[in-house]
Amino acid sequence: MKPWVFALSMLAASAGPSAAELIHATWGGGGAAVLRDYFQVQFTQKTGIAARMAEVPNTAGAVRSPSASQYNVVEVTYFEAIGLAKSNLLEAFEDKEIPAIADLPKELVVRNKDGRIVGLATHFGYYGIAFNNTLAKASDFQSWNDLTAPRWKGKLAVTRPVYATSYDLTILAHANGGGAAKIEPGIEPLKAIFTNALTTYTSLAHMNTLLTRGEITAAPFYSTRVWSLRRDGQKTIEMAIPKEGALMLPYVVVVPKGSAERAQTIAYLNELLDAAAQTRISGQNGSIPTNNRAVLPPEYEQDLGMTREALMKKMYIPDWNVIVSDYEDRLNRVEQIAAGKR
């Protein structure tokens, strides 16, 4: 048993049955159930520290609320974590408190202006091109720019500008020689994709329906959603990773300012970064472990067609600090494009 796990188990035992439980807030749905059944149960068995999930519709909003300190851990997107850190809404930790970061890519640790840890990416999905294989094949999407072709007029879907600003514009800029700090190369391709789009999808369920019914052929979409569809028997849906790569989308756990049970929370954070725990979770929700020592479950690796190491080489990790700092201006431009005002 790791030293910090033993110490925390002794602390929990001495606290007795009245000891507070840790509350982990995340979005509603299957993700919360997976964390409860495949992480928290094992964590409590190992440490004696009680924990439960809280499902909230807007996790970043929960951190910004006056009652944020009721949560010990909250899951947010990477760019939301940066924004929350800039607003000084997060608890900070020293590196020595989170020894598990040794196995994490440094780009996946969110730090505040003082260099202290305020967010940890526990898993990631990626943004690629989802398609219905009865209407197209992977070779049709060798490049992100293939989505701009006239052949796809009325056969694509796009996300709302609030997400297209951070995701679509960023990956299209990268695919055309730009990147997070240089978005101009992505503007014209994004316009062309909006022109080709039949509709803007309003929810993940909406997008699932569009794809599975063949109402659209393809769309930029989330790998975890495609994994979930395929697990549920929708083998007509596949994910293509263009030659320019896919956009890595890390999901980050943060601790709201003023949250209690710091020692227990530190134990929880370290365990969320554990390779075995991440592997166990990924087999249930289609996420990719961030721990470099973690491996994908064999069946997942087979469906993906590559190892985690091979997948990492296809990931584009932008500088989210740049995206967040210039987000409002970018959003305004994308909203103009979505409205057809070129």
Side-chain angles (χ1 to χ4, degrees):
M1 179 180 289
K2 297 175 183 177
W4 62 264
V5 173
F6 177 77
L8 264 298
S9 65
M10 293 298 98
L11 177 62
S14 64
S18 63
E21 62 181 354
L22 298 182
I23 302 176
H24 182 159
T26 191
W27 300 276
V34 167
L35 283 168
R36 182 181 61 247
D37 298 340
Y38 293 90
F39 176 76
Q40 288 188 332
V41 169
Q42 294 81 359
F43 171 77
T44 298
Q45 290 174 343
K46 179 185 286 189
T47 66
I49 303 169
R52 67 178 173 90
M53 299 302 302
E55 299 185 19
V56 298
N58 180 352
T59 57
V63 177
R64 294 184 183 278
S65 73
S67 59
S69 61
Q70 69 179 302
Y71 304 115
N72 303 97
V73 174
V74 181
E75 185 173 350
V76 297
T77 64
Y78 197 98
F79 73 87
E80 286 172 334
I82 292 173
L84 294 168
K86 289 180 180 295
S87 298
N88 196 31
L89 294 173
L90 304 177
E91 287 289 332
F93 301 89
E94 302 293 342
D95 283 29
K96 64 183 179 182
E97 295 180 287
I98 316 289
I101 64 168
D103 294 320
L104 213 64
K106 60 181 175 57
E107 299 90 349
L108 299 185
V109 178
V110 182
R111 297 180 183 274
N112 63 15
K113 59 183 177 58
D114 299 320
R116 301 179 73 196
I117 298 169
V118 292
L120 299 159
T122 59
H123 64 282
F124 70 91
Y126 59 88
Y127 205 57
I129 300 175
F131 65 96
N132 186 310
N133 62 23
T134 68
L135 303 172
K137 52 188 182 296
S139 59
D140 290 324
F141 308 107
Q142 296 184 44
S143 169
W144 282 96
N145 291 318
D146 289 334
L147 291 172
T148 69
R151 66 184 290 201
W152 304 122
K153 177 73 173 178
K155 298 180 180 180
L156 305 180
V158 291
T159 189
R160 290 173 290 166
V162 65
Y163 296 110
T165 298
S166 298
Y167 300 158
D168 301 61
L169 179 57
T170 301
I171 191 64
L172 287 169
H174 169 70
N176 288 279
K182 184 181 177 184
I183 60 170
E184 287 303 323
I187 294 293
E188 290 305 317
L190 185 62
K191 289 180 181 179
I193 292 173
F194 267 93
T195 298
N196 280 346
L198 173 69
T199 186
T200 297
Y201 64 89
T202 56
S203 69
L204 298 179
H206 181 202
M207 180 60 173
N208 290 350
T209 299
L210 292 170
L211 273 173
T212 56
R213 291 183 179 176
E215 295 177 30
I216 62 164
T217 299
F221 203 39
Y222 307 99
S223 62
T224 51
R225 299 308 305 168
V226 171
W227 180 92
S228 180
L229 286 169
R230 291 180 62 80
R231 179 196 58 184
D232 293 340
Q234 297 287 350
K235 300 301 184 183
T236 60
I237 310 304
E238 296 184 33
M239 177 69 89
I241 298 179
K243 63 184 180 182
E244 300 93 355
L247 181 67
M248 179 190 275
L249 299 179
Y251 293 90
V252 176
V253 288
V254 300
V255 179
K257 200 81 162 180
S259 178
E261 314 299 339
R262 183 180 178 90
Q264 290 90 338
T265 299
I266 287 173
Y268 192 88
L269 293 174
N270 276 289
E271 189 66 12
L272 277 169
L273 299 184
D274 180 73
Q278 289 192 2
T279 296
R280 187 171 63 246
I281 294 169
S282 72
Q284 301 299 320
N285 65 8
S287 64
I288 310 296
T290 53
N291 188 310
N292 286 325
R293 296 180 181 272
V295 295
L296 292 173
E299 62 276 11
Y300 189 2
E301 191 172 284
Q302 181 177 359
D303 192 47
L304 187 64
M306 67 186 83
T307 63
R308 178 188 177 280
E309 290 72 21
L311 179 66
M312 288 295 289
K313 295 177 181 178
K314 296 178 180 291
M315 294 295 103
Y316 170 54
I317 308 175
D319 185 342
W320 290 104
N321 285 284
V322 172
I323 296 170
V324 170
S325 65
D326 196 31
Y327 180 76
E328 293 302 325
D329 288 340
R330 296 176 189 219
L331 176 60
N332 181 60
R333 295 190 69 175
V334 174
E335 286 179 336
Q336 293 293 310
I337 291 171
K341 298 176 182 179
R342 310 303 190 201

